Amino acid sequence: MKTMTVGEFKTHFSQVLKDVEKGEKIGITYGRSKEVKALLVPNEKLKESRKLGILADKGKVVFKDDFKMSEEEFLNL
C-alpha cells in the first residue's frame, strides 16, 4: 500500500485516482505522527462479501433491486 500526506494527495489528485483505478490502495496520512486517516481502494474491493459473525456459512442476506424502505420505517417511527 502506498501512503501520502494530505498535501501530496491534493497536489496529485488526478494521478491518485488513476492509480486507484489500476487497483492500488492508497493511504492518506495526517498530522505529525503521519497516521493513516483514510484509505482509498478500488470500487471492486468494496463489493466483497461480509461474514455474518457467528452465523457465518449458516445464512445468507440478499437485498433485491426493488427493495425500498422509507425513512420512517428505517428509523422505526
Side-chain angles (χ1 to χ4, degrees), residues 10-62:
K10 290 192 309 188
T11 302
H12 304 289
F13 182 75
S14 296
Q15 184 59 47
V16 169
L17 288 181
K18 289 177 185 176
D19 292 343
V20 170
E21 279 182 335
K22 293 177 185 173
E24 188 171 348
K25 293 180 183 179
I26 299 181
I28 309 299
T29 62
Y30 182 75
R32 291 182 184 167
S33 65
K34 303 281 190 218
E35 182 181 347
V36 175
K37 298 291 185 175
L39 184 64
L40 293 174
V41 295
N43 196 22
E44 302 88 46
K45 303 262 188 229
L46 296 176
K47 296 178 184 176
E48 295 174 357
S49 62
R50 296 182 181 184
K51 291 189 178 183
L52 298 174
I54 62 172
L55 297 176
D57 301 324
K58 295 182 181 179
K60 184 176 181 182
V61 176
V62 177

Side-chain angles (χ1 to χ4, degrees), residues 53-77:
I54 62 172
L55 297 176
D57 301 324
K58 295 182 181 179
K60 184 176 181 182
V61 176
V62 177
F63 292 98
K64 301 289 183 182
D65 292 336
D66 61 348
F67 175 78
K68 293 182 182 171
M69 179 183 278
S70 68
E71 268 188 52
E72 289 80 17
E73 291 173 318
F74 179 72
L75 297 173
N76 200 21
L77 297 177

